[in-house]
Amino acid sequence: PTRDLTVVVSSDDLESFSHTFQVNNDNALVLQTVVIPLSAHNNVKIETTGEGTALLQTSLQYNSKSEDAQSAFDLTATVSSRTDKSFKLQACASYGKGGASGMVVLELNTPSGYVFNVESAKALENTVEVQRVEGDEGNTRLNLYYSSLSQNRVCAEVEADKEYEVKGYKPTVVKIVDYYKPGDSATTLYTIDAETQVEAVPDSAAG
């Protein structure tokens, strides 16, 4: 079905606030968000034009002091192997609040000079846990979508290929976030450093 919608969010309480969402067949499954200013949240107006359907959800978040604060997710990321042309990144995560989470997105990033091998990563879609794999930012970011996570730890291993040489690699971010509750998230770093063993890979096999 055709989907071509324009959704405008505004407020009579704050005339300077207005945000437009475009929803079509290409981005229908992409989560789009906007932060509504505090001075506008008492009177929010939604106007839609076009054809198709979309789900609109609002969320009010506030902070409260807790003596037993519990992280939403446990997340680790390590370089499991590395050659002079590529490396493999293993990211493992579990839900830390008990029970099961909703849909979550695991955002993997590469250090400068590398891109993810998205084609090989697509094989993860054949596993029970991973619903979808998609490359972003020129394949320097890889998003893994999970229908839910429990306290049972799940791991995914992906490969990144070197495009060009970089002197000195900075720590790289890996993040996991609840798709519908972005406040539930965890972030960690991994690094490719001199202590990581590098195996030489020949340019071509000997004939």
Side-chain angles (χ1 to χ4, degrees), residues 89-168:
L89 172 65
Q90 184 182 71
C92 299
S94 60
Y95 189 54
K97 290 188 173 182
S101 71
M103 180 183 289
V104 299
V105 183
L106 178 61
E107 301 176 358
L108 310 175
N109 294 279
T110 60
S112 298
Y114 284 85
V115 294
F116 283 114
N117 188 325
V118 178
E119 184 176 351
S120 66
K122 285 283 187 179
L124 292 170
E125 293 179 344
N126 297 326
T127 64
V128 175
E129 296 90 357
V130 180
Q131 279 193 322
R132 191 168 80 254
V133 176
E134 61 182 22
D136 197 7
E137 303 290 336
N139 293 339
T140 61
R141 175 180 296 170
L142 195 65
N143 296 323
L144 308 184
Y145 292 81
Y146 295 79
S147 57
S148 68
L149 287 183
S150 68
Q151 292 179 312
N152 294 324
R153 193 172 179 81
V154 297
C155 296
E157 187 175 68
V158 297
E159 185 172 2
D161 300 318
K162 182 186 290 185
E163 282 204 322
Y164 55 88
E165 191 69 37
V166 173
K167 290 185 177 180

